[in-house]
Amino acid sequence: MGRLAHRGVNGCRTWSRPSLAIGHQHFWTTPEEVGERQPLTRGSITIAFDGRLDNRPTLLAALGHNAAEARTISDAALVLQAYQRWGTDCLTHLLGPFAVVIDDSQRNQTICARDPVGDRTLYYHRGRGFVLVASEEQALLAHTAVPTALDEDTLANYFAAQERHDGRTMFAAIKEIQPGMLLTIGKAGVQERRYWEYTPPAEICYRTDEAYAAHFLALLQASVRSRLRAVTPPAVLMSGGMDSTSVAAVAAGMTAAPLTTISWVYADLKGPDERVFIDACNAHLHTEPLLIYGDDAWPLSGFETWPVNPNHPTCDPYERLNERAYQAASGRPLLTGLFGDNLYSSAEYWLFDLLRERRVGETLRLWRYHARGEDWYIARTDPGLRRLGREILNRLPGGHKIRPPQPPQRPWLTTTANRRLRQNAVSSLPVPAAVRRPAQFRSLYNARNARAAIATATNAVHFGVDIRHPYRDRRLLEFALAIPAHQLYQGRLFKHIARTALRHLLPESVRLRTHESSFTPLFQRGVAELELDHVWQLLGKADAGWQKFVTSDLIPLQTVDDLKARLYELSSIELIIVWNCVAFELWRSRSQTINQKEWSNLMPTEDKSASNDQPITEKTTRSRKLPYQPPTLENLGDIRDVTLGGSPGTADSGNSQTGFAPRGGRDPRDGRDTSRQRNK
């Protein structure tokens, strides 16, 4: 419990019976739970609940509570009563982020479960004759019986910039309960099963864009309203993009007092500065703005006190920006626009869905507008047209077997890392057969977004702040999967349905914005300039572990100048790999959860295919050119788009891989100009 003391903003309590103990760190974030001391016990049932219920009215009605009782009964008490009514089936009745432990002494079993989207989590260790469960890995590692050895297969995935979906963590002895899974500990031993299966809803098909927009707005309002239920008035972390401003616009219409918005601005960095849009939105919504200057909040700023998460490397290079936002929130719940982009992935289906609805005339009209001003080569290789061709080909006999050659991916990995990935292949997130757009499903329910949401919540609670993400609401996710893709993208603009829905809620300069800001200048200011010496020292250590997984072709360390020059040449995904290497070495050197004696097992071994076998020393000064081929991975755009689910706090972009070319510049695959491909 001591390792989780930062979660106990309002104290803690423990409960035990023979062979079982449950503890709970209190953080009262909703009015009904103020003063509550968990774990709660009722008869033979004891519960510890971490989360929030977003369908309280439905549950209250189903359990027979009147209006007076609804004002006092907490979410944890509701879940306890739901378990008494429906048993483990009660989990399917819950909507919202949660992790729960329920002990049923009458049945002699304890269950641990996690919500289907994954915004709260639980980890566990199975020992000889005992099971440990906690909200963070560091709490389990505090037990002397839990080994601290790292999982090299998970490390290979980490340096490959891909998430695992099998529950394995950075620590070989610790597993994570997956979203929608139930862990039962009882007479039959320890069993894990899925209690929630995604059932694709019926396709939503309206006659007009306005009808789609009205439905979308109603769901967004319901999501925001659920997240406004708080002990203190919430604030909104707002950039100048569509997603966070849409949350602010909806919230502003639901609060009695003027809504507070918190935004980052920059005095001398033009790339990430969105003040013109932020000011327009605050004026339009009559909100109370708090502006935070972020010019000096580059990655690794204040190096000696840079925050290190004991559970895993800090994958967000903008933690200083986040800290300032949390401090400005002053203990208030903070709504964000994070993960909004994920709703709109697979937008390349837009042409196909129009034709599927037999709207041939409208298809031709929109295609002519979409392709206007482009040369024939660009028009005919557009992702929407390619997707249309693929769907037609899939319907021909044997057509699904015809696939274009796939270029090699992740060329920065060593042979050792690639071998581990092949030997321990982790399939992508399983997709139900009835899902029409698998990439969109993976974008919405993938482990990367869940880990990002959990990481932000874990960091924010140190400042007494509860982070809330309206665009992680399961109702919105299911709606996005059920609507046709021409509502995701239309007329050269992404987020068509949101732009239609917010026509009268946002200023036109924000609603019709067609370009994005870039955090890359802030990243380069820190990593390639002001903190370059620290980066050099971390990566050049004789016992650096990244060299076992990443080739020095990507990160040349012959001289500081070589490293600096390369950092200005790399693509966004390559910069993320560099940051992963830096974050890993910092975590490994400072974290108390890693047994340094076991670190020798991860020392780089001889790998004749990689040029990183020899440790770097300060005497190595001669520069040499290294043959390096840029990755053929789809370029994910700005640096903020690929840091565990998106940008820091206010950014409106998640990791939405739509299959469209990178935003701006030239496609690394064929050199095409892609400056208009993605709009925000």
Side-chain angles (χ1 to χ4, degrees), residues 204 206-221 250 344 476 479 483-484 486-487 495-505 511:
I204 297 174
Y206 294 124
R207 291 182 177 273
T208 65
D209 288 353
E210 287 71 22
Y212 287 108
H215 193 162
F216 170 83
L217 184 58
L219 291 176
L220 180 59
Q221 289 171 333
V250 171
Y344 308 97
L476 274 172
F479 173 77
I483 61 176
H486 56 73
Q487 291 301 310
K495 308 184 180 183
H496 172 72
I497 190 171
R499 295 177 194 273
T500 305
L502 298 165
R503 181 169 289 141
H504 302 296
L505 295 178
R511 189 179 72 87

Side-chain angles (χ1 to χ4, degrees), residues 572-588:
S572 295
I573 185 65
E574 292 169 318
L575 287 175
I576 284 301
I577 301 306
V578 172
W579 175 258
N580 281 357
C581 294
V582 171
F584 178 74
E585 295 303 327
L586 195 60
W587 176 65
R588 195 265 298 181

Side-chain angles (χ1 to χ4, degrees), residues 478-544:
E478 293 176 353
F479 173 77
L481 287 163
I483 61 176
H486 56 73
Q487 291 301 310
L488 309 177
Y489 176 87
Q490 194 177 122
R492 298 189 179 188
L493 291 176
F494 281 82
K495 308 184 180 183
H496 172 72
I497 190 171
R499 295 177 194 273
T500 305
L502 298 165
R503 181 169 289 141
H504 302 296
L505 295 178
L506 289 177
E508 291 295 276
S509 61
V510 175
R511 189 179 72 87
L512 299 178
R513 184 180 174 186
T514 59
H515 69 278
E516 292 186 313
S517 301
S518 173
F519 273 60
T520 303
L522 184 63
F523 183 89
Q524 291 174 330
R525 168 177 283 189
V527 174
E529 297 285 349
L530 299 174
E531 307 297 336
L532 182 61
D533 287 344
H534 290 131
V535 173
W536 166 270
Q537 293 166 9
L538 284 169
L539 297 182
K541 293 169 63 175
D543 65 343

Side-chain angles (χ1 to χ4, degrees), residues 265-389:
V265 295
Y266 301 84
D268 60 339
L269 283 177
K270 301 305 179 185
D273 191 64
E274 299 181 303
R275 198 173 337 188
V276 62
F277 302 105
I278 292 169
D279 290 346
C281 197
N282 282 320
H284 186 83
L285 300 176
H286 305 290
T287 53
E288 293 186 351
L290 288 176
L291 302 182
I292 305 170
Y293 280 90
D295 299 85
D296 60 341
W298 54 78
L300 299 181
S301 60
F303 180 76
E304 297 303 325
T305 60
W306 180 260
V308 174
N309 188 325
N311 303 302
H312 50 74
T314 301
C315 291
D316 189 343
Y318 306 107
E319 278 304 317
R320 292 301 189 204
L321 288 176
N322 294 332
E323 287 179 351
R324 293 179 184 182
Y326 302 152
Q327 290 169 347
S330 302
R332 288 173 292 186
L334 202 54
L335 278 64
T336 82
L338 275 173
F339 311 106
D341 272 2
N342 298 97
L343 296 180
Y344 308 97
S345 60
S346 293
E348 68 269 19
Y349 283 83
W350 71 280
L351 269 178
F352 174 72
D353 279 357
L354 278 172
L355 283 178
R356 202 164 59 95
E357 296 175 9
R358 300 179 181 180
R359 297 162 64 178
V360 178
E362 187 172 356
T363 301
L364 293 175
R365 177 179 61 80
L366 286 173
W367 170 248
R368 282 198 300 268
Y369 175 77
H370 172 81
R372 187 173 60 191
E374 304 287 8
D375 60 42
W376 168 241
Y377 175 79
I378 294 177
R380 71 182 177 86
T381 57
D382 181 85
L385 197 59
R386 291 203 308 268
R387 172 51 59 184
L388 176 61

Side-chain angles (χ1 to χ4, degrees), residues 605-677:
T605 55
E606 183 177 1
D607 188 345
K608 296 181 179 180
S609 67
S611 56
N612 58 351
D613 302 317
Q614 299 181 356
I616 304 299
T617 66
E618 292 185 4
K619 295 181 180 180
T620 308
T621 58
R622 186 176 179 180
S623 177
R624 63 189 177 93
K625 295 295 182 181
L626 300 172
Y628 181 76
Q629 298 296 322
T632 52
L633 271 179
E634 177 188 349
N635 190 314
L636 299 182
D638 183 54
I639 188 81
R640 61 183 180 170
D641 291 344
V642 282
T643 54
L644 271 190
S647 60
T650 64
D652 298 338
S653 54
N655 182 20
S656 55
Q657 302 180 42
T658 65
F660 279 67
R663 298 183 289 273
R666 295 193 174 272
D667 191 321
R669 294 166 291 191
D670 53 25
R672 291 189 296 120
D673 182 15
T674 59
S675 58
R676 70 144 184 91
Q677 289 289 347

Side-chain angles (χ1 to χ4, degrees), residues 124-127 130-131 182-192:
Y124 68 97
H125 167 75
R126 293 183 63 175
F130 69 94
V131 179
L182 169 68
L183 186 75
T184 303
I185 307 166
K187 293 180 179 179
V190 180
Q191 300 175 329
E192 191 172 8

Side-chain angles (χ1 to χ4, degrees), residues 28-35 71-72 228-232 468:
W28 301 324
T29 60
T30 59
E32 300 82 8
E33 66 180 324
V34 173
R71 288 191 291 271
T72 58
L228 291 177
R229 181 168 63 99
V231 178
T232 56
R468 303 179 177 187

